[in-house]
Amino acid sequence: MAKETEFGEVAFRAREIAVVAITGIAILLFVALGGTALGGTVNRLLGGPDVRNTVLLSALILNVALILMGWRRQRDLSAYNHTADRARVLANQDLLTGLSTRRHLAEQGGDLLRLAARRDKAVAAILCDIDALKDVNDRHGTDVGDALLVHVARLLESACPRGALIARFDGDRYAACFLFDPHLPQTIDSAVERFVAAVARPAEIAGITLAATTTIGLARSDEVPGGIDTLLNAAARALAAADAAGRNRQAWFDASMTAGSGTDTGLDTALTGAVERGEIVPHFDRQIDLATGTLRGFEVLARWAHPDHGLLSASRFLPAADRRGLTAAITLEVMRQAFIAARDWDAALTLSVNISAAQLKDPWLAQKIVKLLTETGFAPGRLEIEITESALIDTLALSRSLVESLRSYGVGVALDDFGTGYSSLTHLRALPFDRIKIDHSFVAAPDSDRDSAALVRAIVQLGESLNITVTAEGIGSLAAMEQLRALGCARGQGRHWGDPMPAAHVRRLLAEQAMLVRSA
């Protein structure tokens, strides 16, 4: 294509040179022979002999040729400009989604960074993949897959702030860059939450009802010095880390995510000794009986009390833990601390712990968990292990063995993020779960989203028919809680009841509610 374009430009310029040459010859002939031609014309008007000036005739013919070639040149120039315009469109706009291309985003991103510097702002870069797009293509055909790509593109446009640069990066990957106030990073969180919730919401796409999940990598220019390519590469490394930890996740870039280096720095290095230093600690997210408002238990969440960066959530360091092979050790350490802390809590209070996809591949995981219960004296009936739908995709056989082993010891098992996968009913049929946890993307605002409300109602009815308790995650408001209670959800958790707490704060809460067991 490049050679053809180069050849066309050479031919075009050759015609231009020819036109200039012919024009020069015609002008010289008219100047040199103009007097003779004028004399011949006057002589004919006075009745003199007819003297034909062949030179003048030649000049006239040359001028006619010049006019014809000029017209051809103009036509070629118009066609050339049209082709160039079309080439620019192809280079700057994705034909399927109408979004910018990766190249165009890189060009515009530099201007956005300069604008951010002038306004004391920063630029957020978000890269996201559609999870399991291949499954959609295999099951329903590429036309449906393409329609899903277009649908997700529109959702990303709606979720991002006005003025955001949005592009189809490649394949099923999208990128978005926009300005934000460094002191208000929740702008980014809000955009991501809107997008994730919208993608997960069932929609009619090419005549088929589909829901999807997305894996996201994030970076911000005030933490990643350099140009737009550096920022996008940072977001890409964060996306790779999130993808390695399992589908339907988000991860922020940190300095440990170096590309292609033989050494690692930052979080990776510090994380190696974090467990031994006692920096990895459990926090507890309340689980509430929606009918009575009674506290029923907690989900145990890992936190890193980093000496320099403060308290880090699991999304900030678990990708690094996966790269270092530390996820299992961190999970077991958090469980050990949680079991010890909860031994004198009311016996009716349960603890839920999420197990990663990587851990599910460990054939000895059930034995390790039972050993930990025995060593700490925590009752197996008070523990519930959560397995996400996305983690089951590649580990169904091992998961079946794990679930059966744990349930034989009295440990409960929950299917987490229910409704986000493509085989939800298959998983329920294949494994004996005790609880279904509805993904937070369907819970955010069921009162204002008819589709989400219908899905929640259907999941609750399904749970009732299978004798499986249903819990709603991510409840953030009184209105959402009341709606979910009306829809029949048994339990709920989320920031409506406050942020996850350290063990010391839980003890104070339980003391106020007389839910601590006094030792004999």
Side-chain angles (χ1 to χ4, degrees), residues 477-494:
S477 67
L478 177 62
M481 186 272 289
E482 290 176 343
Q483 178 73 3
L484 289 161
R485 182 174 57 195
L487 290 172
C489 280
R491 290 191 186 184
Q493 66 182 86

Side-chain angles (χ1 to χ4, degrees), residues 178-190:
F178 54 83
L179 296 180
F180 75 99
D181 187 336
H183 303 294
L184 298 172
Q186 56 266 36
T187 303
I188 308 172
D189 296 333
S190 297

Side-chain angles (χ1 to χ4, degrees), residues 301-333:
L301 305 172
R303 295 291 184 264
W304 183 5
H306 195 285
D308 298 323
H309 301 297
L311 192 67
L312 301 181
S313 66
S315 63
R316 293 293 304 273
F317 65 85
L318 281 186
D322 285 334
R323 290 193 298 274
R324 304 284 292 185
L326 297 172
T327 303
I330 288 174
T331 301
L332 292 174
E333 171 61 19

